[in-house]
Amino acid sequence: SESGTITKQILGELAALNDKITLVEKNFVLDTEDKAKYRVDKAPAIVILSDGVDTRMRMFGAPTGYEFVGLVEAIIVAGTGKIDLEPETMQWIQAVDKPTHIQVFCTPT
């Protein structure tokens, strides 16, 4: 797909910028084990790992426009472990006491 090609190009360029960023491409149809493991149900999908550990951060679709900023921020969080949020926001997040699924939908314009 066109968005898959764009996603692959963007991720390839990001990985080329820093040798600590590794890009592993999977096939949505054939790699069913990873698809289930990372709960990927649409493509293109970006699964962000930190030293092989699932960060539970996912992006679906091409990371273009404002979505690119979110991708870079997710990579920084995965690589440093530092989350740049206000203390009040961190307290709110830490108060969550049950599994919560958050999705953000963006429409390219």
Side-chain angles (χ1 to χ4, degrees):
S1 74
E2 183 178 345
S3 64
T5 302
I6 292 168
T7 300
K8 184 177 175 180
Q9 179 182 358
I10 290 169
L11 294 176
E13 290 178 14
L14 275 174
L17 294 174
N18 187 317
D19 63 358
K20 293 182 181 178
I21 299 173
T22 304
L23 174 62
V24 177
E25 185 177 356
K26 300 288 182 167
N27 184 297
F28 185 76
V29 175
L30 301 177
D31 293 315
T32 56
E33 188 175 316
D34 281 330
K35 193 168 124 178
K37 178 180 179 180
Y38 297 117
R39 297 181 178 177
V40 171
D41 61 354
K42 53 190 113 354
I46 300 169
V47 176
I48 299 175
L49 307 177
S50 179
D51 287 330
V53 176
D54 188 1
T55 66
R56 299 184 323 200
M57 290 186 278
R58 306 284 185 273
M59 295 188 81
F60 297 96
T64 57
Y66 291 116
E67 289 81 17
F68 181 75
V69 175
L71 173 62
V72 171
E73 289 175 346
I75 292 170
I76 291 169
V77 168
T80 65
K82 295 178 184 173
I83 301 172
D84 187 22
L85 296 174
E86 296 292 325
E88 184 177 305
T89 304
M90 288 300 293
Q91 289 175 349
W92 178 79
I93 292 170
Q94 291 168 346
V96 175
D97 61 357
K98 60 184 176 188
T100 304
H101 182 88
I102 300 171
Q103 291 182 285
V104 178
F105 295 89
C106 300
T107 303
T109 55

